[in-house]
Amino acid sequence: MTLPTNPLREGLPRERMPDPATLVIFGASGDLTRRKLIPALFRLFQQRHLPPGFRVVGVGRREMSDAEFAAEVLAAIGPEPPARGDEFAALFRYVAGDFTHADTWPALAARLTKVETEANRPSNRLFYLATPPEAFEPILRGLAAAQLVAREAKKSPWSRVVVEKPFGQDLESARALNGLISGIFDESQIFRIDHYLGKETVQNILVFRFGNGIFEPIWNRSHVDHVQITVAEEVGVESRAGYYEKAGVLRDVLQNHLMQLVSLVAMEPPMPFRGEAIRDEKVKVIRALKPLDPATVATHLVRAQYAAGSIDGGAVPGYREEPGVAPDSMTESWLAVRLEIDNWRWAGVPFYLRSGKRMPRRATEIAIQFKKPPQQVFEAVGPDGLTANVLTLRIQPDEGIALRFGAKRPGPDIRTQAVKMDFMYGSSFGTDIPEAYERLILDALLGDASLFIRRDEIEGAWGWVQPILDHWAAAPKTRLPTYEAGHWGPPEADSWIAADGREWRNL
Amino acid sequence: MAKPVSGIPVFPTESRSVSVRALEEELASLWKSVAEARDPSGSTPVTRAALLTLIAVVPGDDAAQWMAAAVGRLTEGTPCRAIIVQLESAGGVPEPLAAFVSAHCHRVAGGRQVCCEQVTIRATPAGDAHLSNLVLPLLLPDLPVVLYWPEVALMMAPEARPVEPARGAQFLCDLDPFVDQVILDSALAAETGAFLSRALALAERPQGPGMRPIDLNWVRLLPWREALADAVDQCSIDPMTIIGATIETISQPGGSLPVRPRLLAGWLRERLARSTGGAFRATISPVAGEGPAGRIVGVQFDIAGGQSMAIQMESGALVVTHAGGDPIRIPRPIDPDDDLLCRVIERRETDAYFVRALRMAAADDSDGAIDPGP
């Protein structure tokens, strides 16, 4: 049944209200569900963004009753039961089952029918694959076999699927995964999630660029010397060695988060500013990336592993000494890449991307380094004097924007010094910044895919990094450069960028 | 004396006869005090932030204290410079104009301390003529100006110009070109018809410099508007089939119908008459009960085919009854006025739906759609 648009809803703060639906979470007893999905759902519940009759059906291997699952839900939203916590937990149901067992699917189908009948509403279903990627295939095949998916991209009843990264291990596996999903869901029903796109500060990149008149005219090769994008983590591999050994920074961060940031920084203004137009412009950036020549790929990057060092005053082991990591592991825990965008706006402007673990602190930022004035007409003070203008978009933490520029030092003579003009979200907007998953889950319920990744974007990004993987496979090494834990990267990376006449920013 | 009550620490300075220059010096001194009083470790820098200037014109000490508390709340989410103008009766203070400055400080993520300024001005009628010259130079340049002056609409002539002899009329006239939004409160209006027509005239002024009104009473209706929208969705009712609504409201015997139910009726008509092709009618039914006049206690929708849906307010929740089914409770906390004020200032957008509802409500007298009841 399709209801007409509710005219009473227009103009309300909650103007966008999803259709009544059931969220089916595969991997319901897992870490992602507990740490991210349930708290995000609770915030949506508190803000009354969830539709009437909304229910969650969790599916997991662990045997659990509805009541036990509800207790886990309550535990996930706070050490003390918050107001309306019980009411929220009552929305959850649980189905225990192995995704590879045939009898799991009829049980799930029966439970969904029961939930939907009780709520007296259509079978709108959002399937959330919060599982390791190995489970994607049995889940997708199980959904199809049990005929739980409404294949057509119709208004109601609808079916959608949210897929967590990693979307494949390389170009070939990404294509295979996309092929599998596309056999069951229409592309308009597929929501590939990269939580970076749900971050307010990432969305603000577009507002900053296209909502202000002064930056876009200088946002090009004529004024920008280079761009540095950093995703630094303070933590090591922790308990994720099993996953990380197969992934490394390239698969964990470069192919997805960093590529998303590149496309948002470099894209042209989408018209209109929504949905497919935004995704089209992002894809154009990915397509314009200058392909890496297999013969010279090594000159475009530096990879490394952290060695033992100290973080926050405490000693930490090196990557190869971490539990679960092979002593002769060749997985990179640090990676820097230089890419170029072969289009009119960015021709000749290098983008330096770096990411790693056990860096001095957690920080994600985009730094637009502008060209220096053509002549130095003023005397500078100190080493910071008269450096180039830098516009920094801080994604996390200390979310905000800063601009470095030169100013005259007070005194009788003309001497300049670099100063920083700083905007901080926390200072200007006292409200809490919503978690990325809140926005993304709500958008998926609403059917708005603007902040999700399209198939061509995923495969384009894999296509660009594939020569790196091929090169590493073709020319194996036994040792990688190292950097002491708590440092910004290996010395090799400093000399690598210095060869271009540039240097890394110290965040 | 008014003083900020939330936001710590607070640094009030002495109330004194003022000039703009003296106030600016006081503000500079205030920031120095705040910086010196920060965490002795020096690890929590003080940030001065402002998104707008808020001018609040209030009568007397009680209103000024309420406003100062509201400013404290507001600055947690919307840093601003607040100028509270307290209109005193003659003889209330020795000087025609007196002022003091203070700060509201809050810790934000990362331990940073964000502080906002408050300038409180006390004016006797003898000082009214000098208010504009004192306040206008204190507006932060290049940022929006929001005016909270609940009685403004009633000070307006039908052509939406401030009129004498209302107190502060000249000040209002001087502020008008600099103010982006004025927050009214129709709950204070004794003559609802006059309020509606004058507020509408203010809202419908030609585009250009000058304040645009928003009514706090309209914002108080938000829980009802949300609840009615939710109820229609929750009961899967086709909005095209809603042909009428009866709004039950507390009303004083012999008094005119308050603005709040009239705005709700106007909104329902504007929203639903379109979808029903003009067949929709809204009726206001006065009832006896506890609470202030204008409080809405229930709404009943008449649905084509003889059905109906009733929504009643019951202790923090709205209870929806439809088609003989079990009642559905929709939790709907009622926010206090200072929260509502903060929300209006934070959002600051022009609410086109308010103007449309106002237009409908103002027109209701002429078409007789509202039944004034027995």
Side-chain angles (χ1 to χ4, degrees):
Chain A
M1 181 177 59
T2 302
L3 289 175
T5 306
N6 183 352
L8 300 181
R9 182 77 60 201
E10 291 175 33
L12 294 177
R14 294 181 295 118
E15 195 167 51
R16 301 192 310 165
M17 176 59 81
D19 299 329
T22 303
L23 171 63
V24 183
I25 302 177
F26 294 99
S29 52
D31 189 51
L32 177 68
T33 303
R34 187 180 67 252
R35 284 194 308 112
K36 296 291 182 186
L37 303 188
I38 290 174
L41 284 165
F42 185 56
R43 289 265 299 180
L44 293 172
F45 173 76
Q46 286 177 308
Q47 295 160 12
R48 302 196 294 273
H49 282 301
L50 296 179
F54 177 79
R55 294 288 182 276
V56 181
V57 174
V59 188
R61 285 199 187 125
R62 190 144 50 94
E63 285 294 333
M64 226 182 334
S65 67
D66 283 351
E68 287 167 330
F69 187 43
E72 289 204 352
V73 168
L74 275 177
I77 55 178
E80 299 296 325
R84 302 185 67 204
D86 288 335
E87 198 183 331
F88 173 69
L91 302 178
F92 286 72
R93 309 283 185 275
Y94 188 78
V95 174
D98 188 317
F99 307 136
T100 60
H101 287 181
D103 52 359
T104 298
W105 302 100
L108 175 60
R111 198 66 199 269
L112 284 175
T113 304
K114 185 165 183 267
V115 163
E116 288 156 358
T117 306
E118 282 171 357
N120 188 27
R121 57 166 176 73
S123 305
N124 298 322
R125 294 163 182 170
L126 177 63
F127 300 103
Y128 199 120
L129 275 53
T131 61
E134 303 80 58
F136 290 174
E137 183 169 347
I139 291 171
L140 291 164
R141 294 199 187 286
L143 287 173
Q147 298 184 316
L148 291 172
V149 176
R151 177 68 167 85
E152 306 84 38
K154 59 185 175 183
K155 200 168 178 188
S156 183
W158 49 254
S159 298
R160 298 176 191 137
V161 64
V162 178
V163 188
E164 278 281 346
K165 80 174 178 84
F167 313 104
Q169 284 289 300
D170 51 22
L171 179 59
E172 187 183 346
S173 59
R175 282 178 174 155
L177 177 61
N178 279 329
L180 174 65
I181 302 174
S182 299
I184 300 162
F185 292 91
D186 183 81
E187 180 63 27
S188 64
Q189 298 172 282
I190 304 168
F191 292 72
R192 298 175 190 84
I193 205 166
D194 182 330
H195 73 273
Y196 258 54
L197 291 177
K199 289 179 183 290
E200 288 282 327
T201 41
V202 171
Q203 294 162 41
N204 190 49
I205 295 170
L206 299 183
V207 175
F208 182 80
R209 287 188 57 198
F210 304 128
N212 295 290
I214 62 170
F215 299 110
E216 202 51 25
I218 57 171
W219 207 266
N220 55 50
R221 68 178 190 282
S222 301
H223 300 277
V224 176
D225 177 77
H226 72 281
V227 178
Q228 286 188 29
I229 305 181
T230 304
V231 177
E233 293 181 86
E234 193 177 334
V235 296
V237 290
E238 297 186 308
S239 59
R240 298 171 68 221
Y243 158 76
Y244 202 81
E245 274 283 88
K246 290 186 234 161
V249 184
L250 186 141
R251 292 181 174 94
D252 192 41
V253 179
L254 172 68
Q255 184 275 336
N256 36 70
H257 302 328
L258 277 168
M259 284 296 184
Q260 289 300 316
L261 295 179
V262 168
S263 61
L264 292 170
V265 167
M267 69 192 270
E268 297 299 320
M271 292 299 285
F273 196 90
R274 61 175 178 266
E276 291 308 305
I278 296 174
R279 305 208 291 182
D280 286 345
E281 293 302 335
K282 284 168 59 192
V283 169
K284 284 181 195 170
V285 174
I286 301 293
R287 284 189 189 137
L289 293 176
K290 199 173 197 173
L292 291 168
D293 179 355
T296 60
V297 66
T299 65
H300 284 77
L301 60 93
V302 176
R303 59 174 164 157
Q305 288 175 336
Y306 59 83
S310 69
I311 296 279
D312 283 340
V316 295
Y319 180 72
R320 289 184 171 188
E321 290 91 53
E322 294 274 15
V325 172
D328 58 351
S329 170
M330 285 300 297
T331 301
E332 75 288 355
S333 71
W334 193 98
L335 181 65
V337 173
R338 179 180 62 235
L339 60 78
E340 289 179 38
I341 300 170
D342 233 355
N343 64 16
W344 193 265
R345 184 191 285 260
W346 293 113
V349 177
F351 282 61
Y352 297 97
L353 318 182
R354 67 174 161 167
S355 179
K357 290 191 174 293
R358 289 288 187 222
M359 291 169 77
R361 65 185 184 88
R362 171 177 167 259
T364 299
E365 68 151 49
I366 298 160
I368 314 292
Q369 177 116 17
F370 291 94
K371 292 179 177 174
K372 289 183 178 177
Q375 287 191 314
Q376 300 278 28
V377 294
F378 302 115
E379 184 183 349
V381 174
D384 294 334
L386 275 184
T387 48
N389 297 123
V390 180
L391 180 71
T392 311
L393 309 176
R394 288 190 305 270
I395 307 299
Q396 64 181 14
D398 298 332
E399 294 86 351
I401 296 168
L403 178 66
R404 185 176 71 181
F405 59 92
K408 179 186 176 301
R409 273 191 75 90
D413 47 359
I414 301 287
R415 305 181 78 189
T416 67
Q417 187 163 3
V419 294
K420 193 166 82 164
M421 194 158 61
D422 209 344
F423 154 75
M424 295 189 71
Y425 263 86
S427 302
S428 293
F429 304 106
T431 48
D432 291 338
I433 298 177
E435 279 287 322
Y437 277 94
E438 284 172 54
R439 171 68 191 269
L440 295 171
I441 292 172
L442 182 61
D443 278 4
L445 285 167
L446 288 161
D448 181 351
S450 306
L451 298 179
F452 294 83
I453 307 169
R454 212 165 55 190
R455 176 178 188 158
D456 49 358
E457 200 175 348
I458 287 279
E459 293 181 8
W462 274 119
W464 189 82
V465 301
Q466 189 61 45
I468 300 175
L469 294 171
D470 293 342
H471 168 73
W472 289 349
K477 291 185 175 181
T478 54
R479 198 89 200 162
L480 294 180
T482 57
Y483 58 100
E484 194 179 321
H487 285 69
W488 286 106
E492 288 84 346
D494 295 336
S495 47
W496 174 74
I497 196 170
D500 284 359
R502 298 178 176 101
E503 59 183 21
W504 291 113
R505 286 168 47 73
N506 277 325
L507 276 60
Chain B
M1 185 174 69
K3 62 178 184 179
V5 294
S6 74
I8 297 172
V10 176
F11 299 90
T13 58
E14 290 298 314
S15 175
R16 62 163 73 168
S17 182
V18 289
S19 66
V20 172
R21 185 171 180 173
L23 271 176
E24 285 176 339
E25 285 173 2
E26 288 286 340
L27 287 169
S29 160
L30 171 78
W31 284 108
K32 198 174 168 198
S33 310
V34 170
E36 285 169 357
R38 68 184 193 185
D39 186 338
S41 70
S43 61
T44 54
V46 175
T47 301
R48 180 184 182 185
L51 295 180
L52 54 91
T53 303
L54 169 68
I55 306 169
V57 182
V58 292
D61 266 352
D62 287 349
Q65 285 194 22
W66 179 83
M67 194 66 225
V71 167
R73 296 278 312 281
L74 172 70
T75 53
E76 290 176 22
T78 308
C80 62
R81 171 179 285 183
I83 303 169
I84 298 179
V85 179
Q86 186 176 336
L87 298 179
E88 301 276 359
S89 56
V93 286
E95 301 286 343
L97 286 176
F100 68 93
V101 297
S102 50
H104 296 270
C105 297
H106 308 279
R107 287 201 192 283
V108 296
R112 190 174 289 249
Q113 198 172 198
V114 178
C115 291
C116 304
E117 309 152 329
Q118 177 180 311
V119 180
T120 307
I121 299 169
R122 304 175 78 185
T124 65
D128 286 358
H130 308 288
L131 269 176
S132 304
N133 288 344
L134 183 59
V135 171
L136 291 178
L138 294 174
L139 303 183
L140 293 171
D142 302 324
L143 289 176
V145 178
V146 176
L147 172 65
Y148 172 73
W149 196 337
E151 294 88 3
V152 155
L154 294 172
M155 295 166 61
M156 294 290 187
E159 64 273 21
R161 299 289 304 161
V163 290
E164 297 288 1
R167 172 115 190 251
Q170 184 57 49
F171 178 43
L172 178 60
C173 199
D174 295 339
L175 285 178
D176 189 21
F178 300 95
V179 172
D180 299 278
Q181 187 176 52
V182 59
I183 301 165
L184 322 171
D185 192 352
S186 61
L188 303 175
E191 296 177 40
T192 57
F195 176 89
L196 290 169
S197 60
R198 292 179 183 192
L200 183 62
L202 195 58
E204 291 189 326
R205 290 196 299 183
Q207 290 296 318
M211 48 195 165
R212 301 282 149 195
I214 188 79
D215 183 3
L216 209 52
N217 229 356
W218 168 252
V219 186
R220 289 187 191 105
L221 279 175
L222 184 62
W224 272 104
R225 293 165 56 213
E226 286 187 334
L228 295 176
D230 286 350
V232 166
D233 284 341
Q234 192 129 359
C235 297
S236 302
I237 291 171
D238 178 354
M240 299 276 285
T241 63
I242 302 174
I243 54 175
T246 303
I247 300 166
E248 294 180 343
T249 184
I250 305 288
S251 187
Q252 301 289 350
S256 62
L257 277 176
V259 174
R260 201 185 312 182
R262 294 181 67 172
L263 281 175
L264 185 64
W267 173 70
L268 286 170
R269 287 183 62 207
E270 195 276 328
R271 294 282 79 208
L272 294 175
R274 287 186 187 182
S275 55
T276 58
F280 179 85
R281 287 182 67 81
T283 305
I284 298 175
S285 174
V287 296
E290 291 181 4
R295 179 170 163 256
I296 295 163
V297 294
V299 173
Q300 178 168 313
F301 279 142
D302 299 322
I303 301 163
Q307 288 190 56
S308 67
M309 178 172 68
I311 303 108
Q312 298 291 321
M313 176 72 77
E314 286 179 14
S315 58
L318 288 150
V319 181
V320 182
T321 313
H322 172 58
D326 292 335
I328 302 167
R329 281 179 67 84
I330 305 175
R332 197 66 48 172
I334 304 299
D335 296 326
D337 273 5
D338 51 354
D339 279 358
L340 296 178
L341 184 64
C342 293
R343 187 186 304 168
V344 172
I345 296 170
E346 275 168 17
R347 292 173 66 89
R348 252 186 24 252
E349 72 258 32
T350 307
D351 190 338
Y353 296 90
F354 164 62
V355 179
R356 292 180 201 165
L358 187 61
R359 196 175 292 135
M360 286 288 183
D364 276 340
D365 275 344
S366 57
D367 66 13
I370 291 181
D371 175 6

